[in-house]
Amino acid sequence: MNDDTDFDRFLGRAWNEHADDAPGVASRLPQAVAAVTHAAQAERLAALIVHVHGEHLGRWHDGLATLDALSRRLQALPTEAAVDRAAAEAALQRQGAALRLAAGDPNALQGLASDAAIAARAVVAGIAAGRDDWPTAIAHWRRALADAAPGLPDGSPALRALAVTGNNLAAALEERASRSADETAAMLEAAAAGLSYWSRAGGWTEVERAHHRLGSCRLAAADAPGAAASARACLALCAEHDAPAFERFFGEALLARASHAAATRDAATIEEGMAAATRARALAATLGADERAWCDAELARLP
């Protein structure tokens, strides 16, 4: 790896392969650390290090050692390559604190600013969820939300951390074959928070997808009217921003499924659902093979 393209290619391949070969990806991380040439790369690599060593492998100390090596690499960068050094250092500090907290260190968050601690705790919630430790995941998630409740400043790293974790927890809980009542409540809380925080940390696409996620979770919780309302909000953003067919497909499919699941299916609800299903199928037919593959499961569930 000797330029940004090589580094981007490594990260892309690592993210694609890590779920099936986490040990193999972990073995290549020191090579990536040595190839870091500017601060922004260090911040992106830190997220991968924590995800692989924490969520997938549970090798907390190996992850911390790799983060330490990355920190030393960051400090050695020439000034002109480290204009964002402070932001990268702060990101590495948060990621290291998250690994220590996940490993059971009760003092892991000491010394962090309050919003940095919230961001780190959100990361730990995601790690625990990925390891199927839902009591721990939900406890950390709710503590992060409670700590963030008084408000977060614009630009806070906790905004994106809460948005990402909210979406990921909601998706994972939605996919569980069975959920307790508390897990269903946590799923809806996570989806709603994901939408709230993406509205501050992301662009319209993230917000549109967060509406879809909330609607899908509402449908999984047997709230068909709420799911339909989320689908309409998703589609309204798609219309406002002239979204591509791939984005619009999921909103139409959700609206079709929500209308079909409604307890009271009057003529207007039936018509709305049938029209949405027709539009969803038409949109899917315009997609290339790669995008269509992401839609097949949803197509199979259309009424």
Side-chain angles (χ1 to χ4, degrees):
M1 286 179 280
N2 52 26
D3 58 23
D4 283 357
T5 300
D6 287 343
F7 189 86
D8 289 345
R9 188 178 298 116
F10 168 85
L11 279 187
R13 180 183 174 190
W15 280 111
N16 287 336
E17 295 178 354
H18 80 280
D20 295 323
D21 184 23
V25 170
S27 71
R28 296 192 292 274
L29 290 174
Q31 176 189 356
V33 169
V36 165
T37 59
H38 54 79
Q41 290 177 339
E43 188 168 350
R44 295 167 62 201
L45 183 56
L48 177 64
I49 290 168
V50 171
H51 184 75
V52 171
H53 279 295
E55 182 172 330
H56 286 273
L57 298 175
R59 293 180 353 199
W60 322 112
H61 299 297
D62 288 347
L64 287 167
T66 308
L67 282 179
D68 284 344
L70 180 58
S71 181
R72 292 192 297 273
R73 177 67 180 177
L74 178 61
Q75 291 300 318
L77 292 179
T79 302
E80 62 272 16
V83 292
D84 297 320
R85 195 197 308 268
E89 288 175 342
L92 266 63
Q93 185 183 30
R94 292 193 302 273
Q95 298 284 13
L99 274 184
R100 289 192 295 275
L101 184 59
D105 179 358
N107 301 314
L109 303 185
Q110 287 187 1
L112 291 182
S114 60
D115 61 340
I118 291 166
R121 194 177 290 279
V123 171
V124 176
I127 290 173
R131 298 183 66 75
D132 207 30
D133 181 358
W134 283 104
T136 299
I138 291 172
H140 279 299
W141 170 246
R142 286 176 169 160
R143 171 67 185 274
L145 285 183
D147 289 347
L152 293 167
D154 290 342
S156 167
L159 294 172
R160 183 177 180 86
L162 290 168
V164 170
T165 300
N167 177 80
N168 291 346
L169 292 186
L173 284 165
E174 182 187 345
E175 291 172 2
R176 282 175 66 79
S178 61
R179 291 182 304 274
S180 67
D182 189 54
E183 287 171 345
T184 296
M187 174 186 72
L188 294 171
E189 291 164 7
L195 172 59
S196 176
Y197 285 107
W198 272 129
S199 70
R200 295 187 63 191
W204 74 265
T205 302
E206 288 86 1
V207 176
E208 169 252 315
R209 292 179 178 181
H211 276 296
H212 180 273
R213 174 60 59 200
L214 177 57
S216 187
C217 289
R218 284 172 165 170
L219 190 57
D223 177 10
S230 291
R232 295 186 196 104
C234 169
L235 289 167
L237 273 174
C238 286
E240 180 182 350
H241 295 278
D242 193 22
F246 181 74
E247 300 295 331
R248 288 182 284 136
F249 164 81
F250 288 98
E252 297 287 9
L254 176 61
L255 182 57
R257 292 175 56 221
S259 298
H260 185 70
T264 303
R265 300 186 68 233
D266 56 23
T269 300
I270 293 171
E271 182 179 356
E272 180 181 45
M274 291 177 62
T278 298
R279 291 191 296 268
R281 291 187 175 96
L283 288 165
T286 70
L287 301 175
D290 289 347
E291 288 186 331
R292 176 63 181 264
W294 288 94
C295 302
D296 286 344
E298 198 74 355
L299 278 168
R301 294 191 289 182
L302 286 178

